[in-house]
Amino acid sequence: MNGSAEASTRTRSLQVSPGDLEAAHLDELTREIEQRSLYYYQEKNKSLRARYVYGTIFLIINLCAWFIRDYAQKALALLPYVSSCGPQGSYCFHTLGVLRVSLGCFMFFLIMFLTTWNTMQLHQAQNSWHSDYWIFKFVLLVLVMVATFFIPQLYIQIYGEIARVGAGIFLGLQLVSVIEFITWWNNYWIPHDQRKQSCSFGLVMSTVFYIGSVCGIAVMYYFYVTSTACVLNMFFISCTVVILTVMMVMSLHSKVKNRGLLSSGIMASYIVFLCWSAVRSEPSHTKCNAHTQNSHTDWITILSFLIAIGAIVMATFSTGIDSESFKFRRDEGKEEEDIPYSYGFFHLVFSLGAMYFAMLFISWNLSDSARKWSIDVGWTSTWVKIVNEWFAAAIYLWKLIAPIVRQPRVHEQPQPTAQEVDR
């Protein structure tokens, strides 16, 4: 009797109702979902923090390129004994030294691009490679940097020619990113049916931008057209005035989809800045540039130099995280496991940015060395910035008229004949 009672008790204890099984299964499923969400959250935060680490690395490499250009010949006494550095290390300092540092930076970010370009989700191994393993990547960066100083001079000069093209591509990507941001900002402050926002902010901001643009034009005429002999500067500034007028008229046209003065006002300020940057980059020996007459180094020169380096890093960083501006088809929404930004595009932009900062440090000139504490100064730099200004205006105007040009024409339907009506 005792044995049978114990058996029946054991049988009853093993019996579990279907409701209990379902509740246990739901609890386990809920815990798995929470753990997965926590994992994706942590991985996404690591990925977002990694952007700033790469930006810091890029900044340090910029400073190293400046040091190699201006002060390394006295500080680094071992380089003259490297055979590829030539007599007294002349092939590893100044212009060629900047190109060697740029090549090392380009190769590092190119390796990162090739190893992360197809990353789509946070659980992939490439995501960990992008966000972790910093010691290994630091060793890789140092090895690549050191290796560039053992490359013969001929190959460094070939890289310099290629870097000009890469820097031009970077400028194009940067322009598209800036114009997309301006378009987004304009669309954000335009009142829609669903939005109850007032357009007063947009009106005030457009007025501020236009007043700033007009003041910038007046200041450039005052400082950079000091006599009737400054025909080239007069041409540059007058072309800018014509471009601003065309943009304002086009942005107010009734057939333009995203019309309004806010986007054209922001773009006008950007165009004026590009023109000012171009005329300021003219060589110091020109008589039409009041800011470059003094050849000595003062605190304004040093501060301008440091601001320029910071601008290079910020431009590269902001363009690198803006991969959505270069997609033909925008993503409607992202899943929880999707990466927060395109790793491949991010590293590709930084590799092109390495070529861009090299051109700025050597003023797009592969033969002559730039003056100390100077950046992007010379006639080549001036013309690059002017062409960049015209290209930016052309892209913006095309974005305004593209909806009109692409709009399908409505053809009149032919009237049916009497026989067709009878059918």
Side-chain angles (χ1 to χ4, degrees):
M1 294 291 293
N2 291 336
S4 61
E6 292 177 359
S8 61
T9 302
R10 192 180 303 113
T11 303
R12 286 195 299 270
S13 64
L14 292 175
Q15 291 178 350
V16 181
S17 64
D20 294 338
L21 285 174
E22 184 177 355
H25 179 68
L26 288 175
D27 290 340
E28 183 179 358
L29 185 61
T30 302
R31 283 195 299 270
E32 290 180 359
I33 294 175
E34 291 177 351
Q35 292 176 357
R36 190 183 308 157
S37 299
L38 179 61
Y39 169 77
Y40 289 144
Y41 175 77
Q42 294 174 345
E43 291 296 317
K44 189 171 294 186
N45 282 341
K46 285 197 298 183
S47 172
L48 294 174
R49 289 194 298 268
R51 300 179 303 175
Y52 301 101
V53 178
Y54 288 114
T56 304
I57 292 173
F58 190 76
L59 173 61
I60 294 173
I61 295 175
N62 273 262
L63 296 176
C64 290
W66 158 70
F67 177 79
I68 290 289
R69 188 194 71 174
D70 291 349
Y71 296 102
Q73 193 165 10
K74 296 180 179 179
L76 301 179
L78 294 177
L79 286 181
Y81 296 98
V82 179
S83 59
S84 59
C85 288
Q88 299 180 349
S90 58
Y91 298 160
C92 291
F93 302 122
H94 305 301
T95 296
L96 292 177
V98 171
L99 291 176
R100 291 178 187 274
V101 175
S102 170
L103 177 59
C105 182
F106 168 77
M107 291 174 61
F108 173 75
F109 283 105
L110 181 63
I111 293 173
M112 294 303 303
F113 163 72
L114 295 176
T115 53
T116 60
W117 69 274
N118 60 342
T119 309
M120 300 299 295
Q121 296 181 335
L122 293 170
H123 57 77
Q124 292 181 265
Q126 294 95 324
N127 175 72
S128 299
W129 166 242
H130 170 80
S131 305
D132 293 320
Y133 303 103
W134 292 109
I135 297 178
F136 182 81
K137 285 186 286 192
F138 175 75
V139 173
L140 175 63
L141 176 62
V142 172
L143 291 176
V144 170
M145 285 292 180
V146 173
T148 57
F149 286 89
F150 293 89
I151 298 176
Q153 173 199 7
L154 176 62
Y155 297 103
I156 298 299
Q157 291 177 334
I158 294 175
Y159 167 75
E161 298 292 345
I162 299 174
R164 286 177 171 176
V165 180
I169 296 174
F170 175 84
L171 283 175
L173 295 178
Q174 182 186 357
L175 284 179
V176 173
S177 179
V178 170
I179 294 174
E180 284 294 325
F181 171 76
I182 293 173
T183 303
W184 170 84
W185 202 9
N186 179 72
N187 293 338
Y188 181 80
W189 289 108
I190 288 179
H192 294 277
D193 296 336
Q194 296 82 4
R195 291 181 184 167
K196 303 300 182 182
Q197 297 168 326
S198 173
C199 62
S200 59
F201 178 83
L203 181 61
V204 171
M205 291 303 297
S206 60
T207 304
V208 170
F209 281 117
Y210 267 109
I211 292 176
S213 301
V214 173
C215 292
I217 293 291
V219 169
M220 283 193 294
Y221 271 120
Y222 179 79
F223 282 107
Y224 301 107
V225 188
T226 55
S227 65
T228 55
C230 302
V231 180
L232 187 60
N233 286 354
M234 189 181 301
F235 169 72
F236 289 157
I237 302 172
S238 300
C239 279
T240 303
V241 174
V242 173
I243 290 173
L244 299 189
T245 304
V246 173
M247 286 196 308
M248 184 178 67
V249 172
M250 289 297 298
S251 62
L252 292 176
H253 198 277
S254 59
K255 293 185 178 181
V256 174
K257 181 179 180 181
N258 296 321
R259 62 181 182 271
L261 289 176
L262 179 58
S263 63
S264 60
I266 302 172
M267 194 65 195
S269 301
Y270 183 63
I271 292 295
V272 171
F273 167 77
L274 291 177
C275 182
W276 169 81
S277 181
V279 295
R280 190 179 174 84
S281 295
E282 293 176 355
S284 58
H285 57 75
T286 180
K287 298 180 180 179
C288 298
N289 194 338
H291 290 91
T292 58
Q293 295 300 314
N294 297 325
S295 59
H296 66 278
T297 302
D298 54 8
W299 68 271
I300 298 179
T301 304
I302 296 175
L303 182 61
S304 301
F305 178 81
L306 296 177
I307 292 175
I309 292 181
I312 297 171
V313 177
M314 288 302 300
T316 307
F317 182 84
S318 60
T319 307
I321 61 177
D322 189 25
S323 59
E324 292 295 325
S325 298
F326 304 91
K327 290 183 177 180
F328 293 102
R329 183 178 179 181
R330 304 295 176 87
D331 297 332
E332 296 296 333
K334 285 191 174 184
E335 300 294 335
E336 187 181 26
E337 65 270 17
D338 291 342
I339 57 176
Y341 56 94
S342 175
Y343 299 160
F345 182 80
F346 179 82
H347 293 298
L348 177 63
V349 169
F350 269 79
S351 63
L352 295 174
M355 296 180 173
Y356 177 64
F357 82 70
M359 291 298 105
L360 296 188
F361 276 117
I362 67 176
S363 298
W364 301 79
N365 194 338
L366 302 180
S367 57
D368 298 329
S369 179
R371 185 168 55 88
K372 286 184 178 181
W373 292 101
S374 66
I375 186 170
D376 206 16
V377 175
W379 284 116
T380 306
S381 299
T382 299
W383 279 104
V384 166
K385 291 179 179 179
I386 284 296
V387 173
N388 192 32
E389 174 196 344
W390 296 342
F391 189 51
I395 294 178
Y396 177 76
L397 291 175
W398 169 250
K399 286 184 67 68
L400 290 180
I401 65 175
I404 303 175
V405 175
R406 294 176 180 176
Q407 186 176 3
R409 297 179 180 179
V410 180
H411 299 281
E412 294 184 359
Q413 297 293 334
Q415 295 295 330
T417 61
Q419 295 178 352
E420 291 177 347
V421 171
D422 293 339
R423 285 180 199 165

